[in-house]
Every structure is written in C-alpha cells, then in structure tokens.
Amino acid sequence: LLPLSYLSWTTAKIIWISVSIVFVLATPWLAFRLLPGKLNLLICTMMALVYYGLPGTRAAVVTGQTGVVAIFLTLLTFWLVRSNKKWMGGLALGIALSKISVALPLFIFLLYKRSWATLAVATGVQVAGFLAIAWLRQGSPFEVVTDFASIAASHASFNGIHLTGLFNPTTLTTAVVGIIFSIAVFAPLWFFTSKLKTQDSQSELR
C-alpha cells in the first residue's frame, strides 16, 4: 500500500477498492481450481455468489482491508506450488505474509512439507519489503520491525478485532490463544495427512 500514499486520498481509495474487487471476484474461482475433479458451473457460480455476499467480504472491501488480497495470494501460492512453480509461489506468499494472520498457517504448512525454495523466496520478499520501508522513512529496519510489533500488540487489545481482546490482553494470553488455535488447525491436518499416507502405502502394496 505504500505507493498509494504518494497519491491523493480520492485517487488512492478508488485504485485500492478497484484492486480489492478484482481479487474478491477471482478468489472463489481460484479456489475451485484447487479442488479435485471438476465442479458443475452452476454450483461454482452459486458458491462464488455466496462468497461475494458474505458480510465479512463486503466489509473488507468497504473498509479497505488487505485480507481479501492476502486470501487470494494464499490460494495462489497453493496453486503455484502444486503446479511446481515454487519460486512464483514464494513471491505470492511473500506478499501475502504482509497479512500474517492469514498467510502464517500456510507458511508453517510449507515448513512441514519442506518446500524450502518457496519459503526462501517468501522470506526474501518480506525482508526486501522491510528494507524498502526503512529506506523510504530514512530509519533502520529494526525500527520498522519494532513499529509493526507495537501496532500488532495494540490491535490485540481491541474488542472485536482479536480474541485476546475478550481477556486481559497480555503477551501470555496472546500466546496461549495462538497455541490453542494452532493445535485446533494442525491436529486435524496431521491426522488426515497421516491417513492419506497410509492409504497410499496400502495401494502400493496391492
């Protein structure tokens, strides 16, 4: 979003809303390409319309949130990695990591899958982004990281933005909530991955 800061408010707003709408329109159709088999066009259209009509989707576009772009880029990373375009996937993931609450689970999953090329490019994109911001603001990269961490910590205490806002917003509370939800996500993922590996092994024996 940094380049938009050099434009007038009206121009930047129109450009960003237009970009967000394009990504929102494309997201469900990219998701369908990740599914096994081919879905009926009518069903795909209905599911896409449901996504377009979700209150969260509309609110994200209207308020200028980056989440809709990060969701698309996260799905794009999946598709590119699956298509063996790991370097391009790393570029998409690196940009998506700017919304870390959306892209971090995929980053951890790729660590599990040992997709080192994709992770290296993604990390490089983020490092380049921090260095660029530091250069533009004529400060040090450490100051940029500190500012981002401060903003994240302040957002965690806002009611309605993060679950830790329901409790006493301390570092420990934030960590506990993060661990609980990480387990809730990766435990089923590990189970189903193990099950698929078992099925593949049995198929090879036959």
Side-chain angles (χ1 to χ4, degrees), residues 155-170:
H155 283 184
S157 63
F158 293 165
N159 290 328
I161 291 182
H162 196 282
L163 281 175
T164 52
L166 300 175
F167 312 100
N168 183 25
T170 63

Side-chain angles (χ1 to χ4, degrees), residues 93-113:
L93 178 61
I95 300 173
L97 281 170
S98 298
K99 185 73 172 180
I100 195 166
S101 58
V102 174
L104 182 60
L106 176 58
F107 188 91
I108 297 174
F109 176 72
L110 292 176
L111 277 175
Y112 168 73
K113 299 296 289 184

Side-chain angles (χ1 to χ4, degrees), residues 67-90:
V68 290
V69 177
I71 290 172
F72 174 84
L73 291 174
T74 300
L75 293 173
L76 181 62
T77 302
F78 264 119
W79 184 76
L80 289 170
V81 170
R82 195 175 69 174
S83 302
N84 204 31
K85 299 177 180 179
K86 297 180 180 180
W87 294 94
M88 294 297 294

Side-chain angles (χ1 to χ4, degrees), residues 95-177:
I95 300 173
L97 281 170
S98 298
K99 185 73 172 180
I100 195 166
S101 58
V102 174
L104 182 60
L106 176 58
F107 188 91
I108 297 174
F109 176 72
L110 292 176
L111 277 175
Y112 168 73
K113 299 296 289 184
R114 299 180 181 179
S115 186
W116 305 123
T118 302
L119 294 172
V121 174
T123 303
V125 169
Q126 278 294 302
V127 171
F130 276 107
L131 292 176
I133 293 173
W135 177 74
L136 288 170
R137 61 176 287 179
Q138 298 181 345
S140 70
F142 179 76
E143 290 176 348
V144 176
V145 173
T146 303
D147 288 345
F148 272 76
S150 177
I151 293 171
S154 64
H155 283 184
S157 63
F158 293 165
N159 290 328
I161 291 182
H162 196 282
L163 281 175
T164 52
L166 300 175
F167 312 100
N168 183 25
T170 63
T171 302
L172 178 60
T173 304
T174 304
V176 170
V177 171

